[in-house]
């Protein structure tokens, strides 16, 4: 099971890199076309934006798993272990609520976006907005699993330390 | 009549003629509802862009938006009809068609998309400014880098004239004109004035190549929860607002033009012959987009125009 | 009252360790429930619509360019170049740090990455030469935070999008204030280093200098491409960013040959992940921003501080103090995203130039990166230089004061920002 999950996330990482490379190629390609050939592809502006949305919201799940999202741990850092565990469960419940609302909202919004097309590519916007299912679902499941582990006492000390801000992620530093 | 707080989203700023329309409409609504219905206006896209606000209306998270029709073509393709180049020749034609049967025909389509159109206001005729030459004939546009809205009909209209049409967010236009990343842009006089484009553009050509109406849109899901009495108040007051808005728009348009001349812009009108040449040249765009707009809609408006022009 | 609900839900959830992005969504959910307009679609719609902006694409590209530069050896050559120029004068390595920080600032937009690159090369050299290491580390940290003030700048892009202000103008307006920060650091450094007994590096022969300049030349050209390209309308900021990334890739792979194809995947992945962390935060902030606006909170605050609105300079002074305080606990991007929707309507109402405000605001949030207790750049420099955090804080203090002084100088004399900006316009 764990092996399958790890492999899935490695695949998602490949996807992220692919999206970023495509964005570079499309936007840079347009600059070259404009100066080299006095023309441009209007599709690439729109499509690169959509790739960007996918990159953001797929990456949000991958980085969530690594606890790379920015947060303030000054206070929880000085809590005793029990306090840290309780804070972690509470904060995970908040995250879960956010995911439920995000997922549900994407669901209710689906017909509205499915009947609306992008101005240039003509792509239905549900392709773009539908990514909310993946992000809310993915983060929600990770959080749910973590809450269950915490409640059944199977959470590792490393996870609690990471939650309390000991050992920050490299990505997190780059984000500033 | 219940206590209602209606949030009105506007992409433009409060000093735009839409401000006058909203003021008149608010006054009217307050009077007729005995102060129970309240309009709160948000300006400058504070609640999101026009498209985003319209989507919010469709999902029932927001009550009202006053938006030009162009950004909504992806929602209701028929609205593309108002983007067709050189459609209306003057304000009189526009008023007659929009307030008449054709306008109603288009409004009647919108509930399908979760929207209710209360009235047509106006953004006015769009004209071209540039930093290079006075545009007197369409050949002058050849190779010119023109910023257009991200909208296929506008893109094609300018490409068809030989221009290098570049879609760009409105917020970056001033800086892009200033740095000469683009040579030209097109907007109504009032926008050219309030956005200070005259500081970075030398020539203003009165092309009147498009007339964009504003629509006063209400969220259908929310509309359905209102009583008929409330609905009537809103519909009637949107029309009161319309008259104030159009009046202000036309007065301000004159004032803006005078101000642009005073600021040193070289203004030129197109000769009637050239106007016709351009209109003919633009027919390709009509043919190309009739399919996506709906051939019957295009035909209907041309019939309506013919009717107006006969009188 | 709405303000209290907003602050309590946001700060409360952040205090128990909820990541800022989720704290923002949560406070949005609480706000809409409080206002009686609970609707899940508000969250879904604002999140995705918010990220769907072409201008924001500059962020992944500038991040990628920065990653490529560090991996491709550009940063190292910039430092070599600065050493060859001023390494031999007294306290020279500190001057090297500031010069290199400015050059790197004009290449990349992120403070932590620049600080790490600077500290990794210079701290060992300064330790060997007998400098006070915590002070040197403090200088690196305060030099690193110039990165988001001098363009390109991810902070300016985020602010420009959040506040609807021209990014080109923010970029152009940031140059002079960024240089002023550097000058303030140099002055402070010179005063402090006078009392230190340090070794100076030998003066390099002209040939060696020329060689270092030529090798760094490829890197030194990049700001010209990016800034010149934007200034003279060759590129939009987004295009300039992608050109910078491709250029850094070319130089790192073809010219310096330090970037190997097998490194490329890691670099791309880091840039992609960093992008999603930043952008997910931006998207979440747009949910709360929509509700803040919808609830008319700025108007509520505007009424509270009405007397200040008629005195813009005092208002600005108070706001800058507030941002400094917020900055002690919150890092750059969250501060910009949380405060912009609240402050911008007030700024406009008071008639303060939004570009000028944006530059001061971003500079202030950059200072927040080196104020304890939460300052990511402090953590970075402490990690890289292996100096305990407490000592880094002591070392950074004088430089921090100098930069706060620059900030308030700009509050007192807006001309310092506005006049150069008008030349560049
Ligand atoms: Na920078
Ligand atoms: Na801080």
């Amino acid at each position: 099971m764990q092996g399958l999950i790890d492999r899935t996330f490695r695949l998602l990482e490949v996807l992220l890199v692919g999206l970023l490379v495509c964005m570079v190629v499309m936007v840079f390609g347009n600059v070259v076309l404009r100066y080299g050939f006095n023309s441009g592809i209007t599709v690439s502006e729109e499509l690169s934006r959509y790739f960007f949305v996918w990159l953001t919201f797929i990456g949000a799940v991958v980085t969530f798993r690594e606890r790379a999202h920015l947060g303030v741990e000054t206070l929880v850092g000085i809590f005793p272990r029990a306090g840290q565990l309780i804070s972690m469960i509470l904060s995970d419940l908040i995250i879960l609520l956010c995911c439920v609302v995000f997922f549900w909202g994407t669901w209710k919004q689906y017909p509205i976006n499915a009947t609306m097309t992008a101005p240039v590519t003509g792509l239905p916007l549900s392709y773009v907005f539908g990514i909310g299912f993946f992000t809310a679902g993915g983060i929600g499941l990770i959080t749910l699993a973590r809450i269950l582990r915490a409640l059944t006492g199977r959470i590792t000390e490393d996870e609690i330390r990471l939650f309390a801000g000991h050992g920050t992620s490299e990505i997190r530093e780059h984000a500033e | 009549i219940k206590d209602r707080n209606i949030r009105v989203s506007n992409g433009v700023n409060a000093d735009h003629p839409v401000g006058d329309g909203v003021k008149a409409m608010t006054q009217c609504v307050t009077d007729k509802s005995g102060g129970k219905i309240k309009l709160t206006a948000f300006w400058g896209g504070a609640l999101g862009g026009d498209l985003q606000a319209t989507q919010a209306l469709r999902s029932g998270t927001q009550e009202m938006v006053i938006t030009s029709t162009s950004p909504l073509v992806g929602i209701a393709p028929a609205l593309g009809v108002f983007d067709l180049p050189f459609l209306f020749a003057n304000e009189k034609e526009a008023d007659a068609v929009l307030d008449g049967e054709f306008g109603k025909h288009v409004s009647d389509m919108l509930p399908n998309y979760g929207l209710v159109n209360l009235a047509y206001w106006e953004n006015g005729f769009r004209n071209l400014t540039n930093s290079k030459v006075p545009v007197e004939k369409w050949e002058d546009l050849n190779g010119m880098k023109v910023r257009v809205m991200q909208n296929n009909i506008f893109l094609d209209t300018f490409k068809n004239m030989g221009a290098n049409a570049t879609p760009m967010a409105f917020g970056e236009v001033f800086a892009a004109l200033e740095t000469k990343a683009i040579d030209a842009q097109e907007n109504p006089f009032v926008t050219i004035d309030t956005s200070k484009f005259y500081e970075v553009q030398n020539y203003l050509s009165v092309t009147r190549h498009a007339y964009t109406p504003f629509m006063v849109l209400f969220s259908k899901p929310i509309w359905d929860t209102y009583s008929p009495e409330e609905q009537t108040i809103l519909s009637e007051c949107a029309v009161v607002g319309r008259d104030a808005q159009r009046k202000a728009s036309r007065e301000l348009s004159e004032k803006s033009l005078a101000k642009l001349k005073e600021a040193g812009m070289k203004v030129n009108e197109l000769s009637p012959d050239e106007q016709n040449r351009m209109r003919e040249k633009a027919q390709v765009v009509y043919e190309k987009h009739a399919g996506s707009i709906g051939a019957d809609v295009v035909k209907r408006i041309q019939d309506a125009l013919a009717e107006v022009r006969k009188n | 009252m709405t303000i209290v609900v907003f602050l309590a839900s946001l700060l409360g959830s952040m205090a128990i360790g909820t990541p800022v992005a989720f704290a923002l969504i949560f406070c949005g959910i609480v706000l809409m429930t409080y206002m009686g307009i609970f609707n899940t679609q508000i969250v879904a719609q604002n999140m995705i619509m918010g990220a769907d902006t072409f201008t924001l694409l500059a962020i992944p590209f500038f991040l990628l360019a920065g990653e490529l530069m560090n991996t491709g050896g550009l940063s190292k050559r910039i430092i070599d170049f600065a050493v060859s120029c001023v390494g031999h004068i007294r306290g020279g390595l500190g001057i090297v740090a500031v010069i290199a920080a400015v050059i790197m600032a004009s290449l990349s937009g992120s403070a932590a990455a620049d600080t790490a690159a600077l500290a990794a090369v210079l701290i060992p050299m300064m330790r060997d030469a007998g400098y006070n290491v915590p002070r040197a580390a403090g200088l690196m940290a305060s030099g690193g935070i110039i990165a988001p003030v001098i363009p390109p700048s991810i902070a300016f892009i985020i602010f420009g999008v959040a506040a609807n202000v021209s990014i080109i103008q923010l970029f152009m307006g940031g140059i002079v204030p960024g240089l002023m920060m550097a000058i303030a650091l140099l002055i402070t450094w010179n005063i402090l280093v006078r009392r230190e007994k340090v070794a100076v590096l030998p003066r390099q022969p002209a040939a060696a200098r020329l060689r270092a300049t030529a090798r760094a030349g490829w890197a030194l050209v990049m700001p010209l491409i990016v800034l010149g390209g934007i200034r003279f309308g060759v590129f939009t900021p987004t295009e300039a960013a992608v050109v910078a990334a491709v250029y850094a890739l070319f130089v790192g792979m073809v010219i310096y040959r330090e970037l190997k194809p097998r490194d490329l995947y890691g670099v791309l992945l880091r840039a992609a992940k960093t992008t999603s962390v930043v952008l997910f935060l931006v998207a979440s902030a747009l949910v709360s921003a929509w509700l803040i606006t919808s609830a008319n909170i700025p108007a509520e605050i505007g009424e509270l501080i009405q007397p200040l609105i008629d005195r813009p300079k005092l208002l600005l002074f108070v706001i800058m103090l507030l941002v400094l305080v917020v900055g002690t606990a919150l890092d750059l991007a969250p501060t910009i995203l949380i405060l912009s929707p609240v402050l911008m309507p007030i700024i406009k109402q008071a008639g303060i130039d939004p570009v000028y405000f944006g530059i001061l605001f971003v500079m202030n949030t950059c200072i927040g990166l080196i104020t304890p207790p939460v300052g990511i750049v402090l953590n970075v420099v402490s990690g890289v230089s292996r100096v305990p955090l407490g000592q880094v804080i002591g070392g950074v203090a004088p430089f921090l004061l100098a930069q706060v002084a620059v900030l308030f100088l700009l509050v007192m004399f807006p001309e310092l920002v506005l006049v150069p900006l008008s030349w560049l316009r």
Side-chain angles (χ1 to χ4, degrees):
Chain A
M1 184 64 188
Q2 194 57 40
L4 185 70
I5 294 173
D6 286 342
R7 243 174 303 156
T8 311
F9 273 92
R10 266 203 301 281
L11 215 63
L12 287 176
E13 290 185 345
V14 175
L15 185 60
L16 292 180
V17 169
L19 287 169
L20 181 58
V21 170
C22 288
M23 282 159 57
V24 170
V25 170
M26 281 191 284
V27 179
F28 188 72
N30 241 7
V31 177
V32 173
L33 282 179
R34 194 168 78 233
Y35 285 99
F37 306 91
N38 206 12
S39 73
I41 314 169
T42 37
V43 170
S44 82
E45 197 255 69
E46 201 170 88
L47 210 56
S48 54
R49 258 188 308 130
Y50 294 165
F51 277 31
F52 179 53
V53 171
W54 290 327
L55 171 74
T56 299
F57 285 92
I58 295 171
V61 180
V62 176
T63 47
F64 181 80
R65 186 166 176 253
E66 299 167 5
R67 276 213 185 273
H69 287 279
L70 305 175
V72 182
E73 291 93 1
T74 325
L75 197 60
V76 290
I78 55 173
F79 281 179
R81 189 186 174 283
Q84 289 180 347
L85 192 64
I86 292 170
S87 300
M88 186 167 153
I89 295 173
L90 279 178
S91 117
D92 276 346
L93 285 172
I94 287 177
I95 295 172
L96 196 60
L97 171 73
C98 295
C99 290
V100 169
V101 171
F102 189 11
F103 194 94
W104 186 6
T106 308
W107 177 260
K108 278 178 59 179
Q109 186 120 80
Y110 193 80
I112 287 171
N113 291 314
T115 54
M116 166 153 173
T117 53
V120 181
T121 50
L123 215 63
L125 281 196
S126 45
Y127 281 58
V128 184
F129 283 78
I131 195 68
F133 289 130
F134 177 83
T135 306
I139 295 179
L141 285 178
I142 295 173
T143 313
L144 194 62
R146 210 156 58 194
I147 295 174
L148 291 178
R149 277 205 309 280
L151 289 177
T152 53
R154 280 180 299 144
I155 204 101
T156 64
E157 290 307 308
D158 273 356
E159 274 182 285
I160 296 177
R161 281 171 52 79
L162 207 57
F163 168 76
H166 302 292
T168 46
S169 142
E170 176 198 31
I171 295 299
R172 203 166 145 166
E173 284 168 5
H174 283 246
E176 287 297 342
Chain B
I1 304 177
K2 290 193 185 141
D3 281 317
R4 308 275 187 193
N5 180 22
I6 296 174
R7 288 165 296 167
V8 188
S9 174
N10 295 279
V12 296
N13 289 325
D15 56 0
H16 191 276
V18 166
D20 299 83
V22 169
K23 216 183 197 174
M25 183 171 173
T26 309
Q27 187 60 50
C28 167
V29 168
T30 311
D31 290 348
K32 289 198 178 187
S33 70
K36 285 197 156 174
I37 303 180
K38 222 178 88 199
L39 296 190
T40 312
F42 294 90
W43 301 99
L47 278 183
D50 286 337
L51 183 61
Q52 184 178 358
T54 308
Q55 290 290 72
L57 259 58
R58 298 179 70 200
S59 50
T61 56
Q62 190 187 313
E63 293 82 8
M64 230 173 107
V65 62
I66 300 173
T67 168
S68 79
T69 50
S70 307
L72 311 185
V73 175
I75 298 172
L79 293 178
V81 73
F82 297 120
D83 294 331
L84 290 171
F86 304 103
L87 187 69
F88 299 118
N90 52 50
E91 281 89 355
K92 211 174 123 246
E93 285 185 17
D95 290 355
V97 170
L98 292 170
D99 300 343
E101 213 168 313
F102 181 80
K104 188 172 176 313
H105 176 70
V106 171
S107 295
D108 286 345
M109 295 177 182
L110 294 181
N112 276 333
Y113 304 104
L115 299 166
V116 176
N117 181 28
L118 300 180
Y120 292 95
W121 294 9
E122 77 172 14
N123 197 15
F125 281 98
R126 305 176 77 89
N127 299 291
L128 186 86
T129 71
N130 80 91
S131 54
K132 288 191 152 167
V133 291
V135 172
E136 280 163 347
K137 51 187 187 308
W138 62 261
E139 286 87 348
D140 292 332
L141 279 163
N142 203 359
M144 199 177 267
K145 272 190 268 175
V146 186
R147 179 265 173 181
V148 293
M149 283 189 283
Q150 188 162 39
N151 169 308
N152 278 342
I153 300 180
F154 274 89
L155 276 167
D156 282 343
T157 299
F158 281 91
K159 273 187 191 159
N160 179 46
M161 302 267 181
N164 187 346
T166 317
M168 183 183 286
F170 186 79
E172 290 298 338
V173 176
F174 184 91
L177 289 170
E178 183 176 47
T179 58
K180 306 252 185 316
I182 49 172
D183 309 315
Q185 65 84 38
E186 47 89 43
N187 261 302
F189 292 142
V190 177
T191 313
I192 299 170
D193 173 20
T194 52
S195 304
K196 296 197 163 58
F197 290 151
Y198 56 83
E199 288 182 1
V200 287
Q201 296 272 272
N202 304 324
Y203 302 101
L204 167 59
S205 308
V206 186
T207 47
R208 297 164 83 82
H209 57 271
Y211 171 93
T212 2
F214 271 117
M215 286 195 298
V216 181
L217 293 176
F218 211 90
S219 160
K220 176 93 177 14
I222 300 178
W223 183 256
D224 292 341
T225 66
Y226 282 25
S227 69
E229 197 188 358
E230 291 168 330
Q231 292 178 349
T232 313
I233 292 176
L234 287 167
S235 300
E236 286 176 1
C237 290
V239 173
V240 171
R242 175 192 78 194
D243 295 338
Q245 196 268 343
R246 283 185 186 159
K247 185 162 166 284
S249 167
R250 284 157 203 184
E251 280 170 10
L252 193 61
S253 191
E254 292 298 313
K255 251 189 243 162
S256 291
L257 179 59
K259 196 174 152 199
L260 295 174
K261 282 180 181 160
E262 204 174 301
M265 283 196 103
K266 295 182 189 69
V267 181
N268 72 288
E269 299 269 346
L270 290 185
S271 69
D273 280 355
E274 186 55 33
Q275 193 94 32
N276 283 335
R277 257 187 91 215
M278 280 197 178
R279 177 166 304 160
E280 271 159 39
K281 172 120 179 121
Q283 280 312 307
V284 203
V285 182
Y286 279 61
E287 282 151 30
K288 186 174 171 196
H289 290 280
S292 63
I293 296 168
D296 61 313
V297 178
V298 177
K299 174 147 193 320
R300 218 178 244 265
I301 198 168
Q302 281 171 328
D303 291 348
L305 278 164
E307 187 68 24
V308 171
R309 282 171 189 154
K310 216 163 48 185
N311 301 331
Chain C
M1 191 54 212
T2 332
I3 307 174
V4 179
V5 173
F6 160 65
L7 286 177
S9 55
L10 180 67
L11 300 181
S13 52
M14 262 166 37
I16 57 163
T18 311
V20 184
F22 295 95
L24 283 163
I25 304 175
F26 176 66
C27 113
I29 296 172
V30 173
L31 265 182
M32 69 189 184
T33 313
Y34 176 74
M35 287 158 66
I37 55 165
F38 180 87
N39 188 327
T40 55
Q41 295 177 75
I42 293 177
V43 173
Q45 191 178 30
N46 282 291
M47 289 214 46
I48 310 263
M49 273 269 180
D52 182 14
T53 307
F54 188 69
T55 318
L56 289 174
L57 254 81
I59 294 179
F61 298 151
F62 277 134
L63 283 171
L64 183 59
E67 291 277 349
L68 286 166
M69 272 186 335
N70 284 336
T71 320
L74 272 79
S75 312
K76 208 174 69 194
R77 280 167 182 82
I78 290 167
I79 295 173
D80 286 349
F81 161 73
V83 168
S84 81
C85 291
V86 294
H88 58 277
I89 41 184
R90 202 180 146 72
L93 283 176
I95 305 173
V96 166
V98 178
I99 292 176
V102 168
I103 298 174
M104 281 160 68
S106 63
L107 296 169
S108 101
S110 89
D114 278 16
T115 309
L118 279 174
V121 180
L122 283 172
I123 293 282
M125 289 170 75
M126 293 176 88
R127 186 177 275 132
D128 292 346
Y131 284 86
N132 174 337
V133 178
R135 179 176 295 156
L139 180 68
M140 303 296 146
S142 43
I145 63 161
I146 299 175
V149 181
I150 291 182
S153 159
I154 286 156
F156 279 147
I157 298 170
I158 294 177
F159 175 77
V161 169
N164 204 4
V165 174
S166 162
I167 288 158
I168 299 177
Q169 293 194 2
L170 289 167
F171 272 20
M172 293 303 151
I175 299 173
V176 171
L179 292 175
M180 287 175 66
M181 288 169 87
I183 292 169
L185 289 184
L186 284 177
I187 294 172
T188 316
W189 173 254
N190 267 330
I191 296 170
L192 293 174
V193 88
R194 247 182 256 154
R195 279 180 248 141
E196 282 189 39
K197 274 209 176 88
V198 295
V200 291
L201 300 180
R203 188 191 196 91
Q204 294 190 9
R209 275 193 208 195
L210 218 57
R211 208 158 48 233
T213 311
R215 284 205 310 193
W218 285 96
L220 298 174
V221 172
M222 202 160 114
L224 296 181
I225 299 177
V226 172
L227 285 186
I230 294 173
R231 169 65 186 86
F232 295 104
V234 187
F235 314 123
T236 64
T238 309
E239 291 172 344
V242 82
V243 169
V246 173
Y247 181 81
L249 177 70
F250 170 76
V251 174
M253 272 189 121
V254 180
I255 308 289
Y256 295 159
R257 294 168 187 242
E258 283 194 21
L259 188 68
K260 301 282 177 282
R262 64 168 179 277
D263 302 331
L264 206 53
Y265 181 80
V267 170
L268 285 163
L269 184 59
R270 264 204 309 277
K273 283 183 178 175
T274 312
T275 301
S276 43
V277 168
V278 175
L279 265 297
F280 188 68
L281 186 62
V282 172
S284 309
L286 290 164
V287 176
S288 58
W290 193 86
L291 285 153
I292 289 167
T293 312
S294 210
N296 250 337
I297 289 181
E300 213 175 306
I301 297 175
E303 270 163 35
L304 280 177
I305 56 165
Q306 190 56 48
L308 282 179
I309 295 216
D310 302 327
R311 302 166 71 186
K313 206 166 270 188
L314 187 61
L315 172 71
L316 197 58
F317 185 83
V318 172
I319 289 179
M320 286 300 132
L321 281 182
L322 170 83
V323 176
L324 270 181
V325 172
V326 172
T328 57
L330 215 56
D331 278 336
L332 192 150
T335 312
I336 295 175
L337 288 166
I338 292 170
L339 290 183
S340 293
V342 182
L343 294 178
M344 280 322 281
I346 298 167
I347 293 298
K348 280 186 198 148
Q349 205 189 334
I352 298 170
D353 184 320
V355 176
Y356 164 66
F357 173 73
I359 290 163
L360 264 60
F361 182 34
V362 165
M363 189 194 237
N364 197 334
T365 53
C366 288
I367 292 174
L369 292 172
I370 53 169
T371 53
V374 181
I376 195 97
V377 168
L378 291 176
N379 297 341
V380 167
V381 89
S382 155
V384 174
S385 61
R386 274 176 267 124
V387 177
L389 194 60
Q391 288 184 30
V392 172
I393 292 170
V396 89
F399 305 110
L400 175 67
L401 284 178
Q403 288 182 333
V404 172
V406 172
L407 178 71
F408 283 102
L409 197 67
L410 298 182
V411 173
M412 296 292 293
F413 304 103
E415 300 80 13
L416 291 171
V417 177
L418 293 171
V419 172
L421 187 59
S422 70
W423 298 335
L424 294 162
R425 267 178 186 169

